[in-house]
Amino acid sequence: MIRSRFTARIEQSVALLYARYEVSRTVVREVRRQLESEGLVTTVPSHGPVVTELTVLDAKALLEAPSALEGLAGALFAERATAGQREHEDSSAG
């Protein structure tokens, strides 16, 4: 959706998704449920799931929330991590 592969109001064939991404029906259903819970997909009665049309403000909010959470997670890690956890993080960072 971010890369404009799926456009608003175009229903995607479930079979196409299975084939394109080589995944099971269960995976497609779970992804659709997750996208619906995030407001990115809307199920239209008698039509099926469609990509939700977002306003610029909606899109900005969706992008800002993860950034704020990452900052909070970093601050909490710095505050609460053990020496071993910090050492592991330093060695895996690069």
Side-chain angles (χ1 to χ4, degrees):
M1 288 185 298
I2 299 278
R3 296 184 189 145
S4 300
R5 288 187 181 160
F6 301 107
T7 57
R9 304 290 177 222
I10 297 177
E11 182 180 351
Q12 294 296 309
S13 164
V14 174
L16 173 67
L17 293 172
Y18 300 150
R20 179 181 226 169
Y21 298 105
E22 297 179 2
V23 296
S24 69
R25 288 179 213 200
T26 303
V27 170
V28 172
R29 286 183 193 130
E30 286 301 315
V31 168
R32 191 181 90 200
R33 282 187 200 117
Q34 181 66 34
L35 292 171
E36 283 179 309
S37 74
E38 294 175 10
L40 298 172
V41 169
T42 304
T43 300
V44 178
S46 302
H47 189 275
V50 294
V51 177
T52 303
E53 293 182 38
L54 299 175
T55 66
V56 172
L57 187 59
D58 292 336
K60 284 178 87 173
L62 283 171
L63 296 173
E64 289 171 349
S67 179
L69 290 174
E70 287 175 17
L72 177 60
L76 289 173
F77 179 82
E79 180 183 311
R80 299 177 182 175
T82 66
Q85 290 170 323
R86 286 190 186 103
E87 185 176 311
H88 177 75
E89 184 66 22
D90 288 341
S91 66
S92 65

